[in-house]
């Protein structure tokens, strides 16, 4: 697949003023990045500002979460239609911080995926094993289960999958590119079980977990890795621009 996606997950960082200062620094640095699809997923509170700031830049806007109900008495939640209305094209679903800190389970994630797809959003569906699961040799089983339960009842959705080993997120420790390639290839094989023409071949599969400008090229060089979901290293405009540029030059 020629398509390469680099998505920034800002997590719970940046006020609108900080997002503005970031863009003033970031946008002029993005020369020669046309080969890459860049996605920025800020906190909900920055979506309105970024929708305007990213207009005519080609950079896509994404959210970090969504609730599964379409509307109603769900204090604090945000629906898929609201995100679409804010100009979001993507939404991260099933991030390990939501699974582990906020207690989201595979059924919640399945409902969120369905809600997002029904409103035309493209989910960035995160899967990945914890360190104990990895040490017990359960990586393939855990990831397969997350895919199976998350995608239950969904018919060939427009989708991005992010393989994010939990032990690599925010720790400065990467999976090796070869290891990540192995899991991403098995994710693609699993999606291939859904059959029907080339759907699985065309699903972008991202690696996430402490990616930096130093490591990005080794991941995107892998046959089944079509980009990266970048947390910590996306918070600095100069660093994130160099991740995008390095990838585009490669
Ligand atoms: C993430 O939040 O999805 C992530 C991969 O974070 P980091 O790059 O900081 O490990």
């Amino acid at each position: 697949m020629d398509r390469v996606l680099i998505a920034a997950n800002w997590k719970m960082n940046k006020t609108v003023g900080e997002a503005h200062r970031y863009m003033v620094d970031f946008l002029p640095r993005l020369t020669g990045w046309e080969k890459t699809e860049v996605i920025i997923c800020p906190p909900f509170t920055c979506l309105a500002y970024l929708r305007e700031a990213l207009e005519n830049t080609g950079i896509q806007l994404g959210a970090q979460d969504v609730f599964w109900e379409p509307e109603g008495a769900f204090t604090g939640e945000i629906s898929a239609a609201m995100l679409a209305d804010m100009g979001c094209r993507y939404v991260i679903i099933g991030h390990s911080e939501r699974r582990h800190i906020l207690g989201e389970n595979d059924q919640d994630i399945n409902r969120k995926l369905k809600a997002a797809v029904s409103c035309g959003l493209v989910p960035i569906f995160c899967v990945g094993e914890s360190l104990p699961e990895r040490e017990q040799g359960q990586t393939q089983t855990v990831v397969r289960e997350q895919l199976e339960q998350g995608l239950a009842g969904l018919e060939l959705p427009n989708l991005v999958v992010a393989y994010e080993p939990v032990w690599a997120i925010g720790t400065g420790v990467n999976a090796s590119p070869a290891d990540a390639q192995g899991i991403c290839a098995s994710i693609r094989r699993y999606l291939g079980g859904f059959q029907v023409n080339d759907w699985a071949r065309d699903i972008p599969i991202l690696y996430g977990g402490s990616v930096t400008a130093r490591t990005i090229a080794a991941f995107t060089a892998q046959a089944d890795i079509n980009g990266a979901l970048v947390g910590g290293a996306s918070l600095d405009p100069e660093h994130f621009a160099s991740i995008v540029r390095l990838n585009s030059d490669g």
Side-chain angles (χ1 to χ4, degrees):
M1 187 194 309
D2 286 341
R3 204 168 155 212
V4 177
L5 282 73
I6 303 289
N9 176 14
W10 283 2
K11 314 192 190 209
M12 197 176 72
N13 292 289
K14 298 195 189 299
T15 61
V16 171
E18 288 164 344
H20 174 66
R21 285 191 287 282
Y22 182 105
M23 284 303 147
V24 168
D25 192 345
F26 179 65
L27 292 175
R29 293 178 188 275
L30 274 195
T31 49
W33 62 286
E34 293 77 7
K35 279 197 258 166
T36 305
E37 186 170 338
V38 181
I39 304 160
I40 298 189
C41 304
F44 292 131
T45 48
C46 289
L47 286 174
Y49 163 71
L50 279 178
R51 175 189 205 167
E52 236 181 276
L54 298 181
E55 208 176 349
N56 301 321
T57 64
I59 297 172
Q60 301 286 341
L61 191 57
Q64 297 176 15
D65 186 33
V66 64
F67 191 56
W68 55 77
E69 293 290 348
E71 63 184 355
F74 305 103
T75 302
E77 296 296 341
I78 307 264
S79 75
M82 290 169 182
L83 295 179
D85 184 51
M86 287 307 287
C88 289
R89 164 122 184 91
Y90 292 93
V91 57
I92 298 172
I93 295 179
H95 192 280
S96 71
E97 285 152 14
R98 297 206 61 86
R99 290 180 191 261
H100 297 287
I101 302 172
L102 294 151
E104 273 186 19
N105 62 33
D106 289 322
Q107 284 66 46
D108 299 335
I109 289 162
N110 176 249
R111 284 186 226 156
K112 291 184 175 196
L113 286 165
K114 285 178 173 157
V117 169
S118 75
C119 286
L121 296 171
V122 181
I124 301 175
F125 173 26
C126 300
V127 295
E129 82 287 2
S130 66
L131 190 56
E133 288 163 345
R134 182 181 185 83
E135 286 170 348
Q136 287 159 26
Q138 292 174 348
T139 300
Q140 300 273 2
T141 316
V142 167
V143 168
R144 199 186 168 92
E145 184 112 320
Q146 289 171 341
L147 288 169
E148 199 170 298
Q149 298 203 23
L151 295 175
L154 279 157
E155 298 255 324
L156 307 177
N158 194 1
L159 181 74
V160 175
V161 176
Y163 168 56
E164 298 209 309
V166 178
W167 48 272
I169 296 181
T171 58
V173 179
N174 286 130
S176 77
D179 258 18
Q181 159 60 23
I183 307 298
C184 291
S186 73
I187 290 173
R188 201 178 303 283
R189 273 195 303 279
Y190 171 78
L191 296 174
F194 280 69
Q195 284 306 328
V196 186
N197 57 46
D198 295 326
W199 178 74
R201 195 197 59 192
D202 293 336
I203 295 290
I205 301 179
L206 314 183
Y207 167 76
S210 299
V211 168
T212 63
R214 199 172 52 77
T215 55
I216 181 70
F219 287 106
T220 53
Q222 305 297 319
D224 287 290
I225 300 181
N226 311 110
L229 180 53
V230 185
S234 74
L235 293 175
D236 175 66
E238 187 177 349
H239 195 153
F240 189 55
S242 66
I243 289 176
V244 173
R245 271 202 317 267
L246 275 168
N247 179 66
S248 296
D249 296 344

